[in-house]
Amino acid sequence: RPDGDAEGRLADGNLHAARVTIEGRAWRRAFLVRRSPQGQGGRPGGVPSAAGAWTAWFPVTYAVHIAEEYWAGDTFSGWVSRLWSIDLSQQEFLVLNALAMAVMIAGVIVANVTTFGLPIAALGFIVAFNGALHAVASVVTASYSPGVVSGVLIWIPFGVFALRRAYGALPRRQF
């Protein structure tokens, strides 16, 4: 439990970062901070935010990627089973991706209601890395990896875009 004031309020009633003392150590800001209602996406102290309306594209592009993996070619679960002897049914594939979609949506929400910018960097890395893995797997196995088209054409560029936004908004030691 903090010894000091855990939150301060601006004149418009929005929360802002405040000095908090926990177990004798002063922390300069709290993680959960609401943005201004004007939609400026700014942080206290004028630091730009990495998040914004564009982050809604994370779950949309994920749905496109899942659709390709589910319906295209041999299906991702069939391709993985055939090449690497990993027993993954279509139902298990959908359950795992539904859980991952929920985590992605939670990350987008956290990024958009707080100034905690790491979810954008994490999501950007994950989607770019997934796209790159599909490309590498297709080359190594000389076969179509279901998900490679959306991975290369959508997720690698989108992930790089997200990483660039996060890099511009996060302090260097956090990025």
Side-chain angles (χ1 to χ4, degrees), residues 42-70:
R43 293 183 179 175
V47 178
S49 171
W54 68 271
T55 59
W57 286 103
F58 275 109
V60 172
T61 61
Y62 192 25
V64 170
H65 187 68
I66 292 169
E68 181 188 356
E69 289 180 328
Y70 188 78

Side-chain angles (χ1 to χ4, degrees), residues 68-151:
E68 181 188 356
E69 289 180 328
Y70 188 78
W71 283 299
D74 190 20
T75 73
F76 186 77
S77 58
W79 182 77
V80 166
S81 296
R82 184 173 45 82
L83 289 175
W84 285 294
S85 302
I86 297 172
D87 189 25
L88 179 68
S89 72
Q90 287 285 75
Q91 183 178 3
E92 292 168 331
F93 169 82
L94 290 176
V95 168
L96 289 172
N97 279 284
L99 292 172
M101 177 70 86
V103 170
M104 179 178 278
I105 291 169
V108 168
I109 291 169
V110 168
N112 280 285
V113 299
T114 72
T115 60
F116 190 52
L118 287 179
I120 298 301
L123 289 170
F125 174 79
I126 289 166
V127 298
F129 187 69
N130 183 281
L133 281 178
H134 277 284
V136 168
S138 288
V139 170
V140 167
T141 63
S143 66
Y144 167 74
S145 167
V148 71
V149 174
S150 59

